[in-house]
Amino acid sequence: MDRFLVGAPHYPEHVDESYWERDAQRMAAAGFNVVRMGEFAWHIFEPREGVFDFDLFDRAIDGLAHHGVQTILCTPTATPPRWLTRRHPEVLRVDEHGRRASHGSRQHADTTNPVFREHSKRITRALSDHYRDNPNVIGWQTDNELNTTESLSFSEPARIEFQKFLEAQYQTIDRLNFAWGGSFWATHYDNFDDVVFPVDGNPGWVSPGHAQDYHRFLAFATARFQHDQVEILRAANSKWFIFHNLGRLEDIDFRGQFSTDLDFLGYDIYPLLYDEMQRIGGHAEIQALHLDICRGFSGNFIVPEQQAGIGSQPGFTTLTPEPGEMRRMAYSSVARGADGLLFFRWRPAHFGAEIYWMGILDHDDIPRRRYDEAKQFAVEMAEISGTLLGTHVRMDVGIAGADFDNQQAHRAYPIGLPSPHDDGMILHRHCYRNGIACGFIHPKDDLSRLKLLYVPHWVIWNDEWTARVEAFVRNGGTAIFSARTGSRDANNHVIRRPAPGLSLSELTGVVVEEFGRLPAPGRDGLFDTSRYRAANVREAHPATSARRRVTLKLGNHEIVAAHMYELLELAPGVEALGAWSSGFAQGRAAITVREVGKGRVFYLGTYLTDDLVNALSIDMIARAGVEPLVPDLPDGVEATMREGAGRRLLFVLNTRAEPVSVKGLPKGAALVGQIGGDRVADLPGYGCLLLAVAD
Ligand code: GAL
């Protein structure tokens, strides 16, 4: 980016044209430089098959450009029009019960479908031919939040595509049978044409290999669907940037072709929706988590949609961002890697399934507090854009993330355990609350700038990664592996030698002799037989929970362990840092540490809990040389740093309505907000401070 993009998704097709000039003036007055348009307008671009009409958007783009507001266009493939689904009902998704998707909302068409792919290419070609020389169209978003409404399809055409995918992967049916464990239950196939979809619970469990390959297929087909469009757009105008806006992160391999095809990723941020949907408090914390996960896919990103007001669809409404909070949420995105941000949306719709998704303007077309905040943010971004762009988010603690196969391996056999992300989240939370620079990273990435790498039970471990981690440790880094890492192979089969496998056993100096399950925190470890598909759900029962409560001791801390225990054999020179302190494993090592070169490797024979991370924070985190960006960060205050090109920018953001004093800040000049001479900042409710840290 050569400037910070700021603006809003805009739907000129939703209002009378008499609004347009005033809209453009108001956007310009707010300091907006971009809008995003067209993602649901296929029926306008192509009202009948082969008949194109770009007039409405041509005029809208021109009118905005007249006021200095440029346009990002979208391929409109999230909403194939009725003429298409009437003529080709086979493009509609089919659910696991055989029900065909109805027409009338969005994402009803199946991106695996060859006929739909042809139509997607046709509309993309028509749009790119028409706009290739329009200087006011600066880039493209592919589709809209692919796989967010639905990622699955069980249609006949999808089955044929699935079979073709498997044949290309395995070449011979024997290889597929080996990978899926064909000698177990009725998992054996005679040829690829016989392969069916994996449908759990009808009547029993399917092979995890089968399930895993189905999701690999969906990810492959999603990337292929997008690739069709990217190829056409790039051929039309190589100067256009191309991105996608991520929503629900379903069935997309973000480290694969899906992302490498793009210039950058976009990530839609609806913090108050996370409160509603996930029923976890603390939308600021969840926003930070989601942004950090996203940055782990491909580095800095843009936010094509950021919540402005309340959000609703007929089944729900989120709470309202309070005055000042919309700007603070935007700063949180910037602090974690956004190089552009659009507030969703310019104005709310008056009809349709999102009439109370409030925009920058209100229904009565009057700009109020949300307009003022957007304006303040846009003006500030214009001022700091030169200093901000070119910096990246500092990361002292890296959590291994973004590995599609590991996430899917868990999903195919979850047994009520936290996923690698769920486990990593616990360390993320600790870092977030303590102002420690943290993010997600893949062992394939450059690890050299980290101080600490945590690998949360990645059951599929590639030996090539071990050498990279070892080099990082020899150079002074700290690596931590948790239970079950390296216990399965690329086919998701359990390995035939002791975990964590050859190369990791050498690096950690540990061999796992035995493993078993422990209850989740607050549970009794028994599963509810009426709902056995969601294991570990039962509330703790005093009679059983006492027996199943297993503790481990770490220095002076005694902690209740959760989810998994392992019994470890230690190679010479490996120190037992923590030991099991109850149950039959009492006295055996639970947590080990080994000095390797200038650094240290830990092995946790269990999964993380909040208590365990707190107990380990001195031995693991502080001894790794990790220090908070701001000491004694008050509750509710976020601290992150963007650095690079000789600059260090510290963001200190108050996520609460109450004012707060933040002490012990480094010396520097405030680019946004104010700091006192004694290095104390008094932040108002939702106040934002951006400090250019002096050397
Ligand atoms: C996003 C989507 C938008 C809008 C918004 C609010 O997921 O991309 O089109 O629906 O959520 O629901």
Side-chain angles (χ1 to χ4, degrees):
M1 293 293 174
D2 53 2
R3 70 205 153 126
F4 190 94
L5 294 178
V6 59
H10 182 38
Y11 303 89
E13 70 273 32
H14 290 179
V15 288
D16 187 85
E17 207 164 323
S18 59
Y19 282 70
W20 290 10
E21 174 62 17
R22 192 168 59 245
D23 280 340
Q25 285 170 6
R26 282 174 171 169
M27 286 185 195
F32 284 11
N33 51 28
V34 76
V35 292
R36 190 200 68 184
M37 298 199 284
E39 74 272 30
F40 304 126
W42 193 338
H43 63 292
I44 298 175
F45 292 128
E46 191 181 13
R48 276 170 293 133
E49 183 165 0
V51 177
F52 296 100
D53 182 352
F54 303 108
D55 201 45
L56 185 148
F57 283 92
D58 286 352
R59 278 181 287 116
I61 292 166
D62 280 359
L64 289 159
H66 195 68
H67 292 274
V69 179
Q70 291 182 302
T71 294
I72 297 169
L73 276 177
C74 309
T75 57
T77 40
T79 50
R82 180 59 184 138
W83 58 255
L84 201 163
T85 59
R86 190 191 318 111
R87 194 166 155 221
H88 296 290
E90 73 274 21
V91 305
L92 294 167
R93 287 178 190 276
V94 172
D95 74 7
E96 62 189 282
H97 306 293
R99 291 179 316 178
R100 187 170 289 249
S102 59
H103 187 96
S105 58
R106 59 178 172 179
Q107 289 193 349
H108 40 296
D110 182 344
T111 45
T112 71
N113 186 284
V115 174
F116 184 49
R117 280 179 66 199
E118 283 314 308
H119 282 277
S120 145
K121 286 194 243 182
R122 237 175 23 76
I123 185 67
T124 305
R125 204 168 287 121
L127 280 161
S128 57
D129 282 350
H130 183 77
Y131 287 108
R132 70 191 331 147
D133 297 321
N134 187 325
N136 301 314
V137 174
I138 56 172
W140 287 80
Q141 172 183 299
T142 55
D143 201 279
N144 186 76
E145 291 195 354
L146 280 158
N147 294 350
T148 290
T149 311
E150 187 53 75
S151 65
L152 307 180
S153 184
F154 297 89
S155 69
E156 265 309 291
R159 190 169 58 83
I160 293 166
E161 292 298 306
F162 180 40
Q163 292 166 344
K164 283 198 226 157
F165 167 80
L166 295 171
E167 188 156 9
Q169 295 296 308
Y170 291 109
Q171 274 130 44
T172 70
I173 198 71
D174 288 347
R175 289 206 195 125
L176 176 141
N177 282 323
F178 175 77
W180 292 5
S183 51
F184 187 85
W185 292 357
T187 322
H188 182 92
Y189 291 92
D190 294 327
N191 55 60
F192 288 100
D193 298 347
D194 276 348
V195 176
V196 297
F197 284 123
V199 181
D200 262 333
N202 188 12
W205 297 102
V206 298
S207 157
H210 190 176
Q212 179 144 0
D213 271 339
Y214 177 57
H215 291 284
R216 282 181 178 139
F217 158 67
L218 293 173
F220 157 81
T222 307
R224 181 179 65 177
F225 179 80
Q226 177 178 258
H227 182 78
D228 292 343
Q229 301 188 351
V230 171
E231 252 187 335
I232 294 166
L233 294 168
R234 293 235 186 266
N237 182 341
S238 58
K239 292 208 182 93
W240 280 335
F241 59 76
I242 308 177
F243 68 94
H244 180 70
N245 63 331
L246 318 188
R248 213 160 59 94
L249 309 175
E250 282 299 300
D251 294 317
I252 296 179
D253 177 2
F254 291 107
R255 298 195 51 105
Q257 187 188 19
F258 186 91
S259 300
T260 55
D261 263 350
L262 301 171
D263 292 296
F264 46 85
L265 284 176
Y267 195 43
D268 293 347
I269 297 289
Y270 290 97
L272 289 106
L273 189 61
Y274 307 148
D275 280 352
E276 291 297 317
M277 293 178 119
Q278 306 189 357
R279 311 218 175 269
I280 317 172
H283 56 258
E285 194 169 307
I286 302 173
Q287 175 179 354
L289 173 74
H290 280 232
L291 288 164
D292 288 344
I293 289 173
C294 181
R295 199 178 64 252
F297 297 142
S298 72
N300 285 17
F301 50 87
I302 68 163
V303 176
E305 302 179 14
Q306 168 111 26
Q307 179 159 19
I310 63 168
S312 105
Q313 288 174 347
F316 65 88
T317 308
T318 73
L319 298 175
T320 307
E322 297 184 348
E325 197 173 10
M326 176 183 132
R327 172 172 166 268
R328 192 285 297 163
M329 295 191 301
Y331 267 102
S332 291
S333 293
V334 176
R336 290 180 189 268
D339 281 346
L341 185 141
L342 284 72
F343 292 103
F344 190 81
R345 42 190 280 169
W346 175 242
R347 68 157 56 75
H350 292 254
F351 41 74
E354 290 189 347
I355 53 176
Y356 297 121
W357 212 291
M358 303 306 286
I360 297 296
L361 301 183
D362 287 325
H363 286 103
D364 54 13
D365 201 38
I366 299 178
R368 298 190 174 91
R369 68 172 165 102
R370 291 192 300 279
Y371 179 84
D372 296 339
E373 278 184 46
K375 180 174 179 179
Q376 186 185 352
F377 176 76
V379 169
E380 288 163 348
M381 285 302 120
E383 277 164 13
I384 65 165
S385 151
T387 313
L388 182 77
L389 298 177
T391 61
H392 56 263
V393 181
R394 180 184 174 120
M395 217 161 102
D396 292 328
V397 172
I399 299 166
D403 191 76
F404 186 74
D405 270 356
N406 269 295
Q407 200 65 17
Q408 291 301 326
H410 169 81
R411 183 179 178 172
Y413 208 101
I415 52 169
L417 293 170
S419 71
H421 265 146
D422 294 339
D423 186 65
M425 239 166 78
I426 296 172
L427 179 57
H428 184 274
R429 186 184 304 143
H430 175 87
C431 294
Y432 175 83
R433 292 185 181 168
N434 289 285
I436 291 171
C438 173
F440 291 81
I441 197 164
H442 197 284
K444 277 195 276 194
D445 292 332
D446 174 10
L447 304 174
S448 65
R449 285 197 294 258
L450 297 181
K451 296 196 167 131
L452 185 149
L453 171 71
Y454 174 63
V455 181
H457 65 89
W458 275 21
V459 289
I460 299 178
W461 182 262
N462 180 333
D463 285 335
E464 284 164 25
W465 304 338
T466 309
R468 303 181 58 82
V469 176
E470 181 168 348
F472 160 71
V473 174
R474 289 201 176 277
N475 238 343
T478 295
I480 303 158
F481 294 89
S482 83
R484 310 317 300 137
T485 303
S487 56
R488 296 191 212 154
D489 67 16
N491 286 323
N492 210 3
H493 295 188
V494 178
I495 59 171
R496 289 172 192 273
R497 45 182 321 126
L502 259 190
S503 70
L504 277 187
S505 279
E506 251 170 56
L507 180 63
T508 57
V510 158
V511 158
V512 179
E513 180 188 305
E514 176 182 321
F515 67 93
R517 184 156 149 262
L518 297 176
R523 308 290 175 197
D524 70 0
L526 300 176
F527 60 81
D528 184 335
T529 43
S530 62
R531 298 178 53 203
Y532 79 114
R533 278 165 210 289
N536 244 341
V537 293
R538 252 172 61 161
E539 295 292 329
H541 186 282
T544 47
S545 49
R547 211 188 96 204
R548 288 162 187 272
R549 201 167 156 275
V550 170
T551 53
L552 65 84
K553 196 138 194 265
L554 191 71
N556 297 327
H557 300 271
E558 181 135 61
I559 298 150
V560 179
H563 303 299
M564 273 282 163
Y565 74 86
E566 287 181 339
L567 300 188
L568 309 174
E569 280 172 20
L570 278 51
V574 177
E575 186 193 332
L577 194 72
W580 297 109
S581 55
S582 70
F584 68 87
Q586 199 162 2
R588 299 282 307 259
I591 298 173
T592 65
V593 58
R594 176 166 185 233
E595 313 273 336
V596 177
K598 292 190 227 148
R600 304 193 311 155
V601 181
F602 290 84
Y603 188 89
L604 309 181
T606 186
Y607 283 17
L608 293 184
T609 61
D610 287 321
D611 288 346
L612 181 56
V613 172
N614 284 336
L616 283 166
S617 61
I618 305 227
D619 278 311
M620 243 170 42
I621 304 178
R623 272 195 64 187
V626 175
E627 280 174 17
L629 295 167
V630 175
D632 302 319
L633 198 65
D635 283 353
V637 177
E638 295 183 343
T640 52
M641 185 172 276
R642 287 183 59 151
E643 56 188 15
R647 304 188 284 271
R648 285 199 294 153
L649 305 173
L650 177 69
F651 290 77
V652 184
L653 310 174
N654 182 5
T655 69
R656 300 201 175 154
E658 300 74 36
V660 67
S661 249
V662 185
K663 305 189 182 63
L665 292 166
K667 276 202 194 125
L671 304 181
V672 173
Q674 285 175 347
I675 178 169
D678 45 0
R679 296 195 283 147
V680 175
D682 291 315
L683 295 178
Y686 304 117
C688 304
L689 173 74
L690 172 53
L691 202 62
V693 178
D695 283 332

